[in-house]
Amino acid sequence: MITKCSICGGKLDALFPLLAQHPQHKICSTCSIQKSYIVDAANRNDSKAFQEASEAFLARTYVGTTDEVKADMNVIIKRFQGMLLQNEEQDQDSRFNELPTTASDHVEGHRITKYCGTVGSNAAVLIDAIQPGRESSPHIAKLNNRQQMLTQARALGANALINCTVTYTPLNAKYLLVTSSADAVIVERA
Ligand SMILES: [Zn+2]
């Protein structure tokens, strides 16, 4: 049973994966929030915020952080740096900067020209760690899932997510599973 955060060595209060390829590396909610700042800055196409968030993320390591975990952290930064550069190009093309996401079956003012496939992500959160307020673990899990789905959607060439759903399923007395899914589509202005 993993009990310590792979990055900071702190108490593992949630089970966020660091990188999908290495599911054994689990990170705490604080490291996960710092990771989400990197993703958020890339999504907003803010180079300065991206730089700061990346440095703060790397600064969370401690003496016990393994080289494999450090390498995974750099993979994440590189991946979203790539997205940032791509966004800058897209900005110049005046294409979508932010992928629209909606719970409905269409994007207002647009028509769907292609279904690219279903995207999804899930995260287990410790029920004990749930606190009222916006930075609660299920909320962070939901944001993480959203970022994972946006990355998957971009990889599929989609420019919007429709039929977005989030479900909360208790796994047992200790964990809650937060599952998100959506259909990745290409839309054009109608
Ligand atoms: Zn941590």
Side-chain angles (χ1 to χ4, degrees):
M1 183 73 199
I2 316 159
T3 55
K4 273 163 53 172
C5 171
S6 296
I7 295 176
C8 69
K11 191 172 167 286
L12 198 61
D13 57 354
L15 283 172
F16 296 115
L18 175 57
L19 194 66
Q21 288 94 310
H22 292 140
Q24 77 276 21
H25 298 156
K26 301 290 186 205
I27 64 173
C28 72
S29 62
T30 311
C31 287
S32 180
I33 291 169
Q34 192 56 56
K35 178 185 155 190
S36 70
Y37 289 156
I38 296 174
V39 183
D40 183 56
N43 270 327
R44 284 186 289 111
N45 214 7
D46 186 335
S47 315
K48 191 170 171 282
F50 183 85
Q51 186 66 30
E52 285 169 4
S54 300
E55 279 165 18
F57 184 55
L58 291 173
R60 292 198 58 78
T61 55
Y62 76 120
V63 287
T65 312
T66 65
D67 286 344
E68 196 179 58
V69 168
K70 285 179 188 168
D72 278 2
M73 292 168 80
N74 280 303
V75 167
I76 289 164
I77 292 170
K78 282 230 173 63
R79 181 180 291 172
F80 288 104
Q81 207 161 27
M83 203 167 98
L84 191 75
L85 296 173
Q86 208 183 339
N87 281 345
E88 278 166 6
E89 281 167 22
Q90 286 187 351
D91 262 3
Q92 284 159 7
D93 287 352
S94 68
R95 281 155 66 189
F96 284 125
N97 178 21
E98 174 80 14
L99 298 194
T101 59
T102 173
S104 88
D105 62 0
H106 68 284
V107 180
E108 207 61 49
H110 294 75
R111 62 167 173 270
I112 295 162
T113 58
K114 192 186 172 193
Y115 281 88
C116 303
T118 302
V119 295
S121 182
N122 57 51
V125 297
L126 251 181
I127 291 170
D128 283 352
I130 298 174
Q131 304 282 342
R134 66 193 177 94
E135 293 296 4
S136 65
S137 303
H139 177 73
I140 297 161
K142 205 175 117 179
L143 289 179
N144 261 300
N145 284 349
R146 183 173 181 275
Q147 299 302 350
Q148 298 279 347
M149 293 196 302
L150 288 173
T151 307
Q152 292 167 25
R154 284 196 173 90
L156 290 169
N159 64 5
L161 289 178
I162 60 166
N163 298 323
C164 296
T165 61
V166 183
T167 56
Y168 302 91
T169 317
L171 284 179
N172 50 41
K174 284 188 87 172
Y175 290 100
L176 181 73
L177 188 68
V178 182
T179 307
S180 306
S181 76
D183 292 319
V185 294
I186 296 178
V187 294
E188 273 176 7
R189 284 177 206 284

